[in-house]
């Protein structure tokens, strides 16, 4: 029933979806690691990135790769702006306060888009060549799929190198491990948080562009579900740990695709329910995720 | 100590009896006001009034989890949806069920029960869902509950969309008997306030506040953290389910998308504006923030620049309000304090 090519096809689809989840989850996990904040506005930065990409793509901006890089840069700064305006005044406040604020920020961004560009979904059409299908040994993928995976891996590798080797990167890991101790060692927390928001938002914008290209549409509420699922991915991998977000992203991508691909079609409508049932299961059996080592979160 | 204070203390001996009497008088006053509203207001305003009652139920009960126990649930929409579907399926007339729900199990198809037990059943189903979500999540520190309850919302919506035999999928359920009115919603609101007040002023309530203030210290003093948090969460889910039933029987038609995240968010804003940890604050937050968007919606239409209303404006203002409250007045209007009703004495 499941031929090798069919299985290979599912794996390709899983890698594809997983790459996008991983990109989104990295930003969420960096911010959570530093501030213990579940940033509900993260998915909306993804949406803004997609809209900005749409603007450039429909203006036939060339080369095409710039329609991806420009939104990444701009949304990176939007991320810094959001942090500066909404989250920094709350530094040291109870976690719930920031959580509510991030919900508010999310709602403000979404509804500003509804007000200015309306809630009407818009088509996100790339030049014809990008969606061209290639078939290798019976397994087919588009140029976009290859771009998605290649770009995600490149971005994640760059981020890993940055966090491993630069002073700011090391400061970031130290602060995620123990914020108070890091501050006592003279690390400028505000700067670290700013960099985390910049990088995370950049990756979210990239994911937004790829997501919009894959599903050929953008709308103001498109970021909600990917953002939420990416948080599940971050929890699966171990929240606060960047490699965990990557691992969790790919695992979730595979799980979701396999759920649809290898179960009877009657179940495929329950795809999203499956993801969150998985979250409950993970929280029950391994709340610290796969790479999260400490057990302090357990009551 | 002044003489007045002294006399208050003396009355305190009979506090319970006195509170019962004064409380009864307040309920009579509320009933009179509702009766006045019933006989003077048109259907539009009566419906807004009924929604105010529903929002009071939701905000006051959410306060138990988010305000007193210090957790952060975003499950309002999910629990309302569960309550609404359950109650609607139970209260629909048998004739309508056989016509519109051919795939329904026969025992359910053949039963139709009154509004009150249907509503209670809706609340119970929501409470059961809360136990399933709460058991794995409430053992953990950190605000996993926020994401898990949002996940529950997605699960409920997916099930409502796909379980054709029972929910009719995206078509939803219509023709729900219009049984809900201001009497039911305010009746349940009074009950919610009473129950939440009693719980908060019981040893369980003290335990909730202790957990909120210092989780580790509470546990060290022998508070059963999981059980206490679960109690708060399940109780607020029950009342959210009840509110869902009241809402379904008010608007008489529900679909999987009737209970969206916007409802959850707005209830959270009502709670934070009133002040988390204040029951009277919740009531006032619910009243204010039901009326505000209702009037803003008229502004949206009035501002129709070039023909299209400025959709989204009222939601932006609500969200902005929430952000500003968080940044400049974290404790909300009442900051955990209560307005004492004249005549009532502290127990």
């Amino acid at each position: 029933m499941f031929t090798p090519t069919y299985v290979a096809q599912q794996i390709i689809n899983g890698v594809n979806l997983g790459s996008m989840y991983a990109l989104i989850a990295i930003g969420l996990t960096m911010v959570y690691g530093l501030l213990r904040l579940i940033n509900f506005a993260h998915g909306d930065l993804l949406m803004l990135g997609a809209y900005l990409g749409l603007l450039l793509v429909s203006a036939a901006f060339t080369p095409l790769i710039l329609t991806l890089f420009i939104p990444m840069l701009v949304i990176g700064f939007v991320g810094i702006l959001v942090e500066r305006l909404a989250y920094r005044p709350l530094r040291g406040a109870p976690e719930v306060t920031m959580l509510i604020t991030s919900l508010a920020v999310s709602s403000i961004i979404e509804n500003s888009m509804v007000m200015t560009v309306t809630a009407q979904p818009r088509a996100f059409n790339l030049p014809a060549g990008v969606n061209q299908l290639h078939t290798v040994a019976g397994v087919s993928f588009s140029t976009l799929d290859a771009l998605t995976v290649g770009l995600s891996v490149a971005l994640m590798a760059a981020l890993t190198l940055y966090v491993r080797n630069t002073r700011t990167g090391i400061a970031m890991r130290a602060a995620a491990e123990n914020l108070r101790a890091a501050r006592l060692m003279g690390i400028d927390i505000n700067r670290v948080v700013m960099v985390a928001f910049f990088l995370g938002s950049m990756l979210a914008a990239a994911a937004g562009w790829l997501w919009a290209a894959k599903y050929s549409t953008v709308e103001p509420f498109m970021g909600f579900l990917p953002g939420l699922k990416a948080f599940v991915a971050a929890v699966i991998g171990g929240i606060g740990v960047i490699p965990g977000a990557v691992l969790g992203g790919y695992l979730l991508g595979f799980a979701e695709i396999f759920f649809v691909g290898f179960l009877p079609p009657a179940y495929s409508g329950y795809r999203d329910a499956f993801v969150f049932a998985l979250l409950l299961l993970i929280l029950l059996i391994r709340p610290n995720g796969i790479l999260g080592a400490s057990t302090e979160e357990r009551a | 100590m002044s003489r007045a204070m002294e006399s208050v203390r003396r009355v305190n001996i009979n506090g319970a009896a006195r509170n019962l009497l004064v409380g009864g008088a307040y309920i009579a006053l509320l009933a009179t006001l509702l009766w006045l509203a019933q006989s003077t207001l048109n259907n539009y305003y009566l419906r807004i009034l009924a929604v105010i009652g529903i929002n009071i139920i939701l905000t006051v009960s959410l306060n138990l989890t988010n305000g007193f126990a210090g957790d952060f649930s975003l499950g309002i929409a999910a629990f309302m949806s569960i309550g609404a579907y359950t109650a609607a399926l139970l209260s629909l007339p048998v004739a309508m069920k056989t016509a519109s729900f051919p795939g329904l199990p026969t025992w359910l198809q053949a039963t139709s029960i009154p509004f009150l037990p249907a509503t209670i059943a809706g609340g119970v189903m929501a409470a059961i869902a809360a136990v399933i979500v709460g058991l794995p999540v409430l053992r953990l520190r950190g605000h996993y509950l926020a994401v898990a309850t949002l996940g529950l919302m997605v699960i409920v919506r997916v099930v409502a969309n796909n379980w054709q035999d029972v929910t009719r999928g995206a078509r939803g359920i219509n023709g729900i008997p219009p049984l809900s009115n201001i009497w039911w919603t305010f009746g349940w609101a009074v009950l919610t306030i009473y129950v939440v007040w009693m719980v908060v002023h019981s040893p369980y309530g003290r335990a909730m506040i202790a957990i909120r203030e210092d989780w580790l210290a509470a546990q060290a003093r022998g508070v059963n953290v999981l059980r206490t948090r679960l109690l708060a969460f399940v109780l607020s889910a029950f009342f959210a389910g009840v509110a869902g039933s009241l809402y379904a029987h008010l608007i008489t038609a529900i679909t999987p998308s009737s209970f969206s995240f916007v409802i959850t968010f707005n209830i959270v804003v009502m709670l934070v504006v009133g002040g988390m940890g204040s029951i009277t604050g919740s009531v006032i937050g619910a009243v204010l923030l039901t009326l505000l968007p209702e009037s803003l919606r008229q502004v949206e239409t009035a501002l129709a620049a070039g023909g299209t209303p400025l959709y989204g404006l009222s939601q932006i203002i609500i969200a902005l309000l929430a952000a500003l409250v968080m940044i400049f007045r974290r404790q909300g209007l009442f900051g955990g304090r209560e307005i004492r009703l004249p005549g009532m004495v502290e127990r």
Side-chain angles (χ1 to χ4, degrees):
Chain A
M1 180 183 174
F2 300 124
T3 60
T5 39
Y6 181 79
V7 175
Q9 185 71 61
Q10 299 306 319
I11 291 177
I12 295 221
N13 294 345
V15 172
N16 209 333
L17 186 64
S19 299
M20 293 193 275
Y21 284 155
L23 283 181
I24 310 166
I26 289 173
L28 282 170
T29 218
M30 282 198 293
V31 168
Y32 189 91
L34 291 171
L35 300 177
R36 294 283 176 272
L37 162 68
I38 301 168
N39 185 11
F40 284 107
H42 196 62
D44 299 298
L45 294 184
L46 174 154
M47 177 270 292
L48 287 180
Y51 266 98
L52 206 53
L54 172 67
L55 193 72
L56 294 172
V57 167
S58 36
F61 201 84
T62 50
L64 189 65
I65 201 71
L66 278 186
T67 68
L68 172 61
F69 286 155
I70 294 174
M72 281 173 67
L73 204 62
V74 175
I75 300 303
F77 284 108
V78 173
I80 292 181
L81 191 72
V82 167
E83 194 275 322
R84 188 74 192 77
L85 290 179
Y87 303 145
R88 193 172 296 178
L90 297 172
R91 203 61 46 81
E95 288 165 21
V96 169
T97 326
M98 270 198 293
L99 207 60
I100 295 167
T101 311
S102 85
L103 287 171
V105 169
S106 164
S107 178
I108 291 171
I109 296 178
E110 284 171 7
N111 286 292
S112 305
M113 291 305 279
V114 170
M115 222 165 87
T116 47
V117 300
T118 76
Q120 197 69 36
R122 282 157 200 266
F124 188 104
N125 292 324
L126 291 171
V130 185
N131 285 317
Q132 198 191 344
L133 281 180
H134 312 275
T135 307
V136 178
V139 181
S140 62
F141 59 92
S142 66
T143 313
L144 177 66
D145 294 336
L147 177 72
T148 303
V149 177
L151 185 83
S152 309
V153 171
L155 286 174
M156 288 185 272
L159 181 82
T160 307
L161 285 178
Y162 179 81
V163 173
R164 280 252 176 92
N165 301 319
T166 63
R167 283 182 70 85
T168 316
I170 294 166
M172 195 183 288
R173 282 188 295 143
E177 207 165 284
N178 189 332
L179 194 74
R180 202 183 296 173
R183 185 179 282 140
L184 289 173
M185 298 308 286
I187 290 174
D188 182 353
I189 299 298
N190 280 341
R191 201 178 110 80
V192 168
V193 169
M194 195 177 84
V195 172
F197 267 90
F198 179 74
L199 296 174
S201 309
M202 246 171 79
L203 297 186
W209 191 96
L210 296 167
W211 193 280
K214 171 131 184 98
Y215 300 104
S216 314
T217 153
V218 293
E219 47 104 7
F221 303 102
M222 67 181 277
F224 179 76
L225 209 50
L228 211 54
K229 284 184 179 174
F231 189 83
V232 176
V235 171
I236 291 175
I239 190 122
V241 201
I242 294 176
V246 176
L247 182 66
Y250 281 106
L251 281 180
L252 187 65
F254 279 124
E256 204 181 315
I257 293 290
F258 288 177
F259 178 83
V260 178
F262 294 114
L263 286 181
Y267 291 104
S268 61
Y270 289 96
R271 173 182 186 163
D272 295 338
F274 165 72
V275 171
F276 293 102
L278 200 64
L279 171 72
L280 291 182
L281 195 69
I282 292 283
L283 290 179
L284 188 66
I285 57 178
R286 198 174 163 82
N288 293 308
I290 296 165
L291 298 183
S294 96
T295 50
E296 61 162 335
E297 303 268 329
R298 193 81 174 245
Chain B
M1 193 176 287
S2 71
R3 186 154 299 174
M5 288 280 279
E6 194 57 42
S7 66
V8 167
R9 299 193 97 208
R10 208 161 292 146
V11 175
N12 231 348
I13 302 163
N14 252 332
R18 181 182 162 154
N19 275 353
L20 204 66
L21 208 68
V22 180
Y26 276 112
I27 289 174
L29 178 69
L30 177 68
T32 316
L33 288 174
L34 288 179
W35 178 79
L36 265 175
Q38 179 91 65
S39 45
T40 53
L41 297 178
N42 65 25
N43 278 336
Y44 172 72
Y45 288 107
L46 279 177
R47 178 175 282 205
I48 294 179
L49 202 57
V51 171
I52 288 180
I54 292 174
N55 286 343
I56 290 176
I57 299 172
L58 290 168
T59 312
V60 169
S61 64
L62 185 69
N63 205 345
L64 212 47
T65 301
N66 292 22
F68 290 103
D71 284 315
F72 197 73
S73 161
L74 290 171
I76 291 280
F79 296 131
M80 279 183 86
S81 197
I82 293 172
Y85 269 98
T86 307
L89 281 169
L90 287 171
S91 76
L92 274 179
V94 174
M96 195 175 284
K97 280 188 193 173
T98 37
S100 310
F101 295 86
L104 215 56
T106 15
W107 64 269
L108 189 54
Q109 211 168 42
T111 33
S112 175
I113 62 174
F115 188 33
L116 182 63
T119 300
I120 292 173
V124 169
M125 288 303 280
I128 291 173
V131 173
I132 296 170
V133 174
L135 270 179
V137 176
L138 290 175
R139 295 176 308 138
L140 309 172
R141 254 176 48 191
H143 289 292
Y144 291 111
L145 190 63
V147 174
T149 45
L150 276 185
L152 181 67
M153 181 185 84
V154 176
I155 293 177
V156 169
R157 193 190 299 158
V158 165
V159 171
N161 262 318
N162 285 282
W163 200 9
Q164 293 284 346
D165 284 350
V166 173
T167 63
R168 301 210 326 145
R171 289 171 297 169
I173 302 178
N174 41 35
I176 302 168
L179 299 169
S180 196
N181 54 36
I182 52 173
W183 299 101
W184 279 110
T185 65
F186 275 88
W188 274 103
V190 168
L191 182 71
T192 311
I193 294 170
Y194 177 74
V195 169
V196 171
W197 184 277
M198 291 309 272
V199 169
V200 167
H201 290 81
S202 77
Y204 277 113
R206 295 290 160 211
M208 284 171 200
I209 294 168
I211 293 169
R212 178 187 72 190
E213 296 301 328
D214 192 329
W215 182 87
L216 206 58
Q219 198 175 34
R221 290 300 303 255
V223 171
N224 187 330
V225 173
L226 174 63
R227 198 177 61 184
T228 311
R229 291 168 88 187
L230 200 60
L231 175 80
F233 182 54
V234 168
L235 208 53
S236 61
F238 171 82
F239 283 112
V242 164
S245 165
L246 294 172
Y247 190 70
H249 290 83
L250 185 71
I251 59 173
T252 72
I254 52 173
T255 67
S257 49
S258 295
F259 302 96
S260 67
F261 181 62
V262 177
I263 297 185
T264 304
F265 178 68
N266 287 353
I267 299 294
V268 168
V269 180
M270 291 173 196
L271 181 61
V272 302
V273 166
M276 287 192 272
S278 163
I279 296 171
T280 31
S282 292
V283 174
I284 288 168
V287 174
L288 287 180
L289 273 137
T290 313
L291 295 175
L292 178 75
E294 208 54 55
S295 31
L296 282 175
R297 207 157 297 145
Q298 318 215 339
V299 177
E300 272 182 2
T301 332
L303 280 178
T308 47
L310 279 176
Y311 291 122
L313 179 68
S314 64
Q315 209 50 46
I316 292 179
I317 292 177
I318 292 173
L320 215 51
L321 186 67
L324 292 177
V325 166
M326 281 300 107
I327 294 173
F328 296 109
R329 199 178 157 82
R330 202 166 298 156
Q331 68 276 35
L333 287 177
F334 291 91
R337 286 188 304 275
E338 303 288 355
I339 316 174
R340 208 74 59 72
L341 290 175
M344 297 281 246
V345 290
E346 194 77 348
R347 275 160 29 88

